[in-house]
Amino acid sequence: MYAIVKTGGKQYKVAPGDILEVEKLDAEEGKKIVLEAICIVDGKNVETDASKAAKTKVEAVVLEQFKGEKQLVFKFKKRKNYKKLRGHRQQLTKLQISAVGTEKFTPKAKPKAEAKVEEPKEEKAVKTAAKASSKAASSEKKPAEKKPAAEKKPAEKKPASEKKPVEKKLAAAKENASDAKPAAEKKPAAKKEAPKAEKADAKTDAEEK
């Protein structure tokens, strides 16, 4: 069931439990007021006649009187050097619909908090002591275990016979160089015997004379 009410020159659709903001009404917070209904809808029954619908009471409770958000009003006239800026905050009233005709709003009861069962002091002391001991045990750090050093394996010696092809080439080149050295050695030059022959010829010429 809901109704359409008129207040402050505006119309609002309301149902029990709804909260709405309307133009300011002269009523203190917490007081009940009756709104003017112009239409009532109850299931398939619809009453659109304002005089008959007004017989159904729409009750509301005032929750708060407050000011709305600021609205800016700017006036301007071109080529007249006319500009005006004004601000306005409308006075409003917050309402909660408590009843529409026979239908009333019943607020839901808040679930009660379960009462905590207090433990005896002795049990509390035992628990606190156990927690403290567990914390102390965890805080004590165990000495770090030293890991054995990794054993170094002796380097495997490769047999001399296993030589790389590059090494073989170098060895062959060295051998060739050593063989070539004796051939390259120069022999001492033989003494010329020509001067002796010339001396002998000179002696013979002298004797003949």
Side-chain angles (χ1 to χ4, degrees):
M1 184 176 184
Y2 67 89
I4 295 174
V5 298
K6 182 180 178 181
T7 177
K10 299 172 185 175
Q11 296 179 0
Y12 302 90
K13 178 185 174 182
V14 296
D18 289 351
I19 295 174
L20 65 153
E21 297 173 0
V22 300
E23 300 290 333
K24 185 179 180 182
L25 299 172
D26 293 331
E28 295 180 359
E29 294 182 7
K31 286 194 173 183
K32 287 186 178 182
I33 59 172
V34 178
L35 300 175
E36 182 184 354
I38 58 174
C39 181
I40 301 292
V41 178
D42 186 7
K44 293 182 179 180
N45 299 325
V46 180
E47 185 60 61
T48 56
D49 189 358
S51 60
K52 292 180 180 179
K55 294 177 182 178
T56 304
K57 288 185 179 181
V58 178
E59 295 180 354
V61 180
V62 178
L63 298 178
E64 185 183 358
Q65 300 280 5
F66 67 102
K67 283 185 178 183
E69 295 182 357
K70 182 179 282 189
Q71 297 177 355
L72 297 178
V73 181
F74 181 70
K75 295 182 180 180
F76 169 75
K77 291 181 182 180
K78 63 181 180 179
R79 295 191 296 273
K80 301 294 181 184
N81 195 21
Y82 178 82
K83 294 178 183 178
K84 277 189 179 181
L85 180 65
R86 296 287 182 270
H88 173 70
R89 295 186 67 187
Q90 183 66 33
Q91 297 285 346
L92 300 174
T93 302
K94 186 179 284 187
L95 301 176
Q96 185 174 28
I97 306 301
S98 58
V100 177
T102 56
E103 189 174 346
K104 294 184 179 181
F105 169 68
T106 53
K108 294 180 181 179
K110 293 182 180 179
K112 294 182 180 179
E114 294 181 358
K116 293 182 179 180
V117 180
E118 293 184 358
E119 296 179 355
K121 293 182 179 179
E122 293 179 357
E123 291 182 3
K124 284 185 178 179
V126 171
K127 286 183 179 180
T128 52
K131 286 181 180 179
S133 61
S134 63
K135 285 181 180 179
S138 62
S139 62
E140 292 177 359
K141 294 182 179 179
K142 295 181 180 179
E145 295 180 358
K146 293 183 179 180
K147 294 182 179 179
E151 296 179 358
K152 293 182 179 180
K153 293 182 179 180
E156 294 180 357
K157 293 183 179 180
K158 294 183 179 180
S161 60
E162 293 179 2
K163 291 185 178 180
K164 294 182 180 179
V166 178
E167 293 177 357
K168 287 181 180 180
K169 288 180 180 179
L170 291 172
K174 286 180 181 178
E175 288 176 2
N176 294 333
S178 63
D179 294 341
K181 279 180 182 178
E185 291 177 358
K186 293 182 179 180
K187 292 180 180 181
K191 294 181 179 180
K192 292 181 180 181
E193 294 180 357
K196 287 183 180 180
E198 289 178 357
K199 287 179 180 181
D201 292 338
K203 285 181 180 181
T204 53
D205 292 338
E207 288 175 358
E208 286 178 359
K209 288 179 179 182

